[in-house]
Amino acid sequence: VSIDPTADRAVYRQLADLLRARITSGELGPGSRLPAEGALAQEHGISRDSARKAVAVLRAEGLVITDRAGSHVREQGEVTAVAVPAGATITARMPTEQERRAHGIAEGVPVLVVADDGEEAIYPADRHRLTYPPS
Amino acid sequence: VSIDPTADRAVYRQLADLLRARITSGELGPGSRLPAEGALAQEHGISRDSARKAVAVLRAEGLVITDRAGSHVREQGEVTAVAVPAGATITARMPTEQERRAHGIAEGVPVLVVADDGEEAIYPADRHRLTYPPS
DNA sequence: ACGTATTTGTACGTATGTATC
DNA sequence: AGATACATACGTACAAATACG
């Protein structure tokens, strides 16, 4: 009941802050299920819309994954090391929707873009790590 | 009036697709102002809520910037080349809210994380490009 | 300097659809 | 079949910042 509707900070941001704190503190570890949006709304005396937006914030930050069953803290999967060719340039950006679908990329996960000699390769940032030289 | 409420694809995604096409085609170039949410809603006969969500999609993709005055196509600013130390590992992720504020990072813009010898440096991905070796 | 219109931000409500359990 | 939970979509309303005359 630590949400204050009259506060300067938006209600949904306050809830996002609360949930984020529980995640980063480890109280909600990787894989942990978040309360349902409706439950969050009831517990904190806010609308489901606000609870929903709070979860959306965390999703955009790449902290949580939401599927049909609900939301849960994102787990770190296997990370593949990728060797960067000498002379390549590396950038990052959010994937297009097609790329998201094609590579099974969750919301809030950027892609690493390795440009080498006009050729571009993209790697979902939650599953890849770039290194040079090859370790 | 090319939005079909009965289609499989959500209305707000259809609008996002339309706007995205106008951006990538160049019809809406960098800096171009997008119609106001209310205008988009009226023009396409949808609710402002749906128009709003469409713009939010583009914002999350890093295509547009929204401020109190409205939304406009993101412009490519100066890009700083950063030399990657040999042996460093490179990842990318969405910035925390604090990082966003501290570095003036817009929504939908990831950060490049360069880890070298336990030291981490972060670079907003819309303003930096990593290279190795130094060109 | 001031008020007004515009535009986004926030927050509530309701309703329906769909997938999962 | 029913309950649960998220996705979508509509509506309303007010606040706050900005732009404009």
Side-chain angles (χ1 to χ4, degrees), chain B residues 66-128:
Chain B
T66 300
D67 55 29
R68 279 308 163 97
S71 298
H72 56 271
V73 180
R74 212 178 79 197
E75 317 191 41
Q76 293 294 6
E78 298 298 307
V79 176
T80 303
V82 176
V84 181
T89 63
I90 301 156
T91 59
R93 59 169 169 78
M94 295 314 282
T96 65
E97 211 184 312
Q98 288 88 41
E99 290 170 337
R100 288 241 319 278
R101 276 199 302 265
H103 293 87
I105 304 173
E107 275 186 67
V109 176
V111 289
L112 288 155
V113 182
V114 179
D116 181 32
D117 210 30
E119 299 284 318
E120 272 195 6
I122 72 169
Y123 304 95
D126 61 340
R127 279 173 263 160
H128 295 87

Side-chain angles (χ1 to χ4, degrees), chain B residues 1 6 13 22 32 36 44 46 49-50 56-57 60 64 66 68 78 91 97 102 104 118 124 126 131 134-135:
Chain B
V1 202
T6 70
R13 293 190 190 277
R22 292 175 63 184
S32 290
H44 297 91
I46 61 180
D49 187 52
S50 297
V57 167
V64 308
T66 300
R68 279 308 163 97
E78 298 298 307
T91 59
E97 211 184 312
D126 61 340
T131 61
S135 50

